[in-house]
Amino acid sequence: MIRPVVTLRRRRLIIDVDTQKDFLLANGSACVRNHRRVLQNIRRVMAWARMKNVRVISTKQVYDPGHSGNGHGQPYCIRGTEGCRKVPYTVRKNHITFVADGCTDLPRDILKTYDQVVLHKRCSNPFEEPRADRLLGDVQVNEFVVIGATTEDAVKHTVLGLLLRRKSVTVLVDAVGACDRGAAEIALRQMEAKGAKLAETKALLGSSSLRLVGVCACDRCQGRLQKKSFGVGA
């Protein structure tokens, strides 16, 4: 019999989906189209989680060299590359990381001991990895708040998997990034139809004056361009 890994009930839990440099920085191999806006809001959510002591479960795509790129045009999130690394402010100091090895073992009450659990995966769907499937299925909270990338792929798989397991899910539409805007809009409608709540970051955190994202070196993120941002949920 598998013992429960979480017995502490918390009001909210952040699900941080693949907030990696290849997806969220301008020079990434599969950068989302609305990366500046998404990075601003991801940074705000993670700062709020630290301040409020809200726990975080993060997923991270990690592929071996030779990965095809799954339609993105070039390989991404390759093990050992800079693009595979998480954006720095999405990593809590007190965290634990598990590689994707097909196992289900996890310490009991893991979210009492650690502020963040980082789960590697060899695909976009976390529920295809036994350890991630177990943890996401066992956690008992009132609300899962989802951020990350990409809306039309990993975010959709994560949200639909949680809903299938009868979880209450809120997707922060301005804190999830998309490579294909049309596909992302369809994905959001699918998530909403299945029971997910769609909200903007300000509904959770209030308004903010944050403008610079503090990690991407492109002109727009550094404030050298004033081009209007756009994206899913705009």
Side-chain angles (χ1 to χ4, degrees):
M1 180 178 178
I2 298 177
R3 295 185 303 173
V5 295
V6 179
T7 58
L8 177 65
R9 287 183 176 268
R10 293 180 178 272
R11 192 163 70 92
R12 286 194 177 108
L13 181 75
I14 301 297
I15 304 297
D16 158 38
V17 180
D18 303 353
T19 51
Q20 294 163 258
K21 293 183 177 182
D22 268 345
F23 292 122
L24 293 171
L25 301 194
N27 61 354
S29 298
C31 183
V32 299
R33 298 179 64 183
N34 49 342
H35 78 284
R36 179 187 178 187
R37 182 188 189 210
V38 172
L39 278 169
Q40 288 174 349
N41 289 313
I42 286 173
R43 183 177 183 180
R44 292 185 61 215
V45 171
M46 296 303 290
W48 172 83
R50 288 183 176 91
M51 181 177 67
K52 298 293 186 180
N53 197 30
V54 174
R55 298 300 197 254
V56 179
I57 295 177
S58 300
T59 61
K60 180 179 176 182
Q61 294 188 47
V62 181
Y63 298 106
D64 292 327
H67 173 57
S68 65
N70 291 346
H72 284 282
Q74 56 182 316
Y76 59 91
C77 299
I78 301 300
R79 187 186 313 276
T81 65
E82 187 64 20
C84 189
R85 296 173 65 87
K86 285 177 60 58
V87 171
Y89 44 70
T90 66
V91 182
R92 302 275 284 271
K93 183 176 181 180
N94 180 28
H95 74 275
I96 186 171
T97 299
F98 294 93
V99 298
D101 55 11
C103 296
T104 61
D105 59 297
L106 287 163
R108 187 171 184 175
D109 294 332
I110 191 171
L111 292 176
K112 287 183 178 179
T113 306
Y114 299 96
D115 296 331
Q116 179 181 26
V117 180
V118 181
L119 301 166
H120 290 194
K121 55 185 183 175
R122 297 159 289 188
C123 54
S124 60
N125 187 349
F127 296 100
E128 293 183 12
E129 293 290 352
R131 186 179 283 113
D133 186 10
R134 181 189 172 198
L135 180 57
L136 292 170
D138 279 3
V139 174
Q140 300 295 317
V141 293
N142 292 342
E143 182 182 23
F144 290 78
V145 179
V146 178
I147 61 174
T150 62
T151 307
E152 65 272 32
D153 190 12
V155 170
K156 181 181 76 172
H157 287 309
T158 303
V159 171
L160 294 181
L162 289 169
L163 293 171
L164 184 64
R165 289 157 179 81
R166 301 182 182 276
K167 308 296 186 181
S168 177
V169 182
T170 298
V171 181
L172 298 183
V173 295
D174 54 356
V176 291
C179 292
D180 183 328
R181 184 174 182 177
E185 289 174 348
I186 293 171
L188 286 172
R189 289 198 294 269
Q190 291 174 333
M191 292 181 243
E192 187 174 32
K194 292 295 185 179
K197 300 174 185 176
L198 305 184
E200 293 194 349
T201 306
K202 64 182 179 182
L204 179 68
L205 309 180
S207 58
S208 170
S209 59
L210 177 66
R211 292 293 178 267
L212 300 183
V213 301
V215 64
C216 183
C218 77
D219 286 343
R220 185 177 300 176
C221 288
Q222 292 299 315
R224 293 188 288 266
L225 291 178
Q226 299 302 318
K227 185 177 179 180
K228 185 178 179 180
S229 177
F230 68 92
V232 176

